Amino acid sequence: MRLEIGNFYVKDVVFGDSTKFSDGILTINKKEAIDFVRADEHITDMDIDIAHPGEDVRIVPIKEAVEPRVRVDGKAVFPGITGDLRRAGEGKLHALKGCSVMGVGMHWGSFGDGLVDMSGEGAKYSYYSQLINICLVIDTDEEFERYEQQKKNHAIRWACHKFAEYLAKTVKELEPEETEVFELDGITKRDENISKLPSVVLVMQPQSQMEELGYNDFLYGWDMNHYLPSFMNPNEVLDGAIIGGSFMPCSSKWSTYDLQNFPTIKELYKEHGKTINFLGVIMSNLNVSLEQKERASIFVANMARSLGADGAIVTEEGYGNPDADYVRCICALEEVGVKVVGISNECTGRDGKSQPLVVMDENTTALVSTGNVSELIELPPAAKVIGELESLARDGLSGGWAGDEILGPSVRKDGSIIMENNAMFCGDQIAGWSLKTMREF
């Protein structure tokens, strides 16, 4: 399968008379864009704002981020979401690089929502401070979940996917500045020199724990709570087959932007044919009961062994209950002779002294930590807030609170905040581009 992604590098995003891309500038006709998004009858109010790196801007509550892309063949960028089902992983895409379409609650937040600071001390905690974020600030009529801590955020999330495709149509007929090519031959059809290299598979565990449908990640438009582990070409992930969900403490999430650009996949591609034979992706899941967790680990281990994997990278979207799936999967692979490196965050408490994963095992001998979800972060007021700052304290965002006996409320009267790293939007970057490191004292 051969996937070509033609990249257009966005230097700035501005509002203007027409929606177009020229000389690195993405111009948006704001009225037309709002009319396009508000075609969804469930969106009752909205605005569009643009946040640039280095601006004294705080964005919260963030629900989703998507890279603007369009397929040259005119098919849906996100099969089963923005259009009909199609086979993902091949063909030509055009992408607007350096920006995201970001879904933001106009008022109401939820457990899986997060925060980004575009400058200052807070900017270092999230990759999204480095992007130009086109913020769809939206209120909806989804009253059934307005005061719920867990929200599906369906209208806002779907608006992001559709609007990202809308913007990218500006470059559909243009010649890209750069083209990335992702291609893997069939496992049994590879060059002898490649086949001799150590074979590696990536095991991804997207969020799929919520038994009520609509909260989880979606694969080909299919709620992943109904999913069992299967083998996939990595191009399918990069080509929009999977989108992010709305259930998970936010620093642990994979946004759709993360999945479209999954850095661990790209790094494995770079080493393919040089130091490793990259077999592909075993797309697994995260479960509720122990029996489900064990079943998934059996699927993954047997699949990896049948593929002839010498090694595996296992990465989970989340922590806590998902740690049981993560550790059990690692152990099952090790038991059949597949050497594993795990990538996840950890939850060591505000003092850093608690057990990092809910479940530990002596077979977990090579783990990469992307940070402590419970780390306390204190940040000064921002000159501008996109969304509603009070949602961090009021609406049950993981990492925020209305009041604490010692620390007081997350949102102070002067606009400064104190919160756990949990609330940083996709802040732990378990997808593979975390800038965090570990220091020993």
Side-chain angles (χ1 to χ4, degrees), residues 17 19 25 72 84 100 104 122 141 179 217 221 225 231 293 365 383 417:
D17 294 334
T19 298
I25 309 300
V72 175
D84 293 338
S100 87
V104 184
D141 68 356
T179 299
D217 294 13
N225 184 259
F231 181 69
K293 296 174 190 294
T365 57
I417 60 174

Side-chain angles (χ1 to χ4, degrees), residues 184 193-194 197-200 263-279 313:
L184 287 179
N193 292 325
I194 293 177
L197 294 170
S199 55
V200 177
T264 303
I265 289 178
K266 291 188 175 183
E267 286 298 315
L268 288 166
Y269 254 116
K270 286 179 184 178
E271 294 302 314
H272 178 65
K274 298 175 183 176
T275 62
I276 63 168
N277 176 13
F278 180 27
L279 299 175
I313 296 174

Side-chain angles (χ1 to χ4, degrees), residues 93-223:
L93 285 166
H94 285 176
L96 291 170
K97 307 300 290 187
C99 66
S100 87
V101 171
M102 186 171 273
V104 184
M106 184 171 283
H107 301 294
W108 305 101
S110 64
F111 184 72
D113 299 348
L115 175 147
V116 165
D117 271 5
M118 297 301 295
S119 67
E121 177 70 10
K124 72 182 184 183
Y125 289 97
S126 178
Y127 176 81
Y128 292 88
S129 65
Q130 302 175 39
L131 301 178
I132 301 171
N133 296 304
I134 304 157
C135 300
L136 305 184
V137 189
I138 293 175
D139 201 11
T140 77
D141 68 356
E142 294 161 321
E143 299 288 343
F144 71 96
E145 65 180 17
R146 172 149 292 178
Y147 301 107
E148 295 293 328
Q149 187 181 28
Q150 296 285 5
K151 293 181 175 63
K152 298 177 183 178
N153 293 313
H154 184 276
I156 297 177
R157 290 163 59 209
W158 261 240
C160 289
H161 294 91
K162 292 175 181 177
F163 189 65
E165 196 167 344
Y166 170 91
L167 289 179
K169 288 180 179 178
T170 58
V171 297
K172 182 180 178 182
E173 307 298 333
L174 302 182
E175 191 67 28
E177 300 171 47
E178 171 195 73
T179 299
E180 296 178 276
V181 177
F182 302 94
E183 185 173 16
L184 287 179
D185 292 329
I187 290 172
T188 62
K189 306 295 183 183
R190 294 182 183 175
D191 181 271
E192 182 180 351
N193 292 325
I194 293 177
S195 297
K196 287 179 180 178
L197 294 170
S199 55
V200 177
V201 67
L202 173 64
V203 180
M204 296 175 61
Q205 295 180 310
Q207 188 51 236
S208 52
Q209 287 182 295
M210 289 293 278
E211 293 181 331
E212 181 178 339
L213 303 184
Y215 296 96
N216 302 300
D217 294 13
F218 278 69
L219 184 65
Y220 285 102
W222 190 21
D223 190 299

Side-chain angles (χ1 to χ4, degrees), residues 64 128 203-207 217 242-245 248 250-259 262 283 315-318 343 426 429-432:
E64 172 66 295
Y128 292 88
V203 180
M204 296 175 61
Q205 295 180 310
Q207 188 51 236
D217 294 13
I242 181 172
I243 68 166
M248 184 37 58
C250 200
S251 70
S252 305
K253 281 174 63 171
W254 291 334
S255 72
T256 298
Y257 186 102
D258 291 338
L259 293 160
F262 213 77
M283 188 66 70
T315 182
E316 64 169 333
E317 183 186 8
I343 303 175
C426 302
Q429 293 298 343
I430 304 169

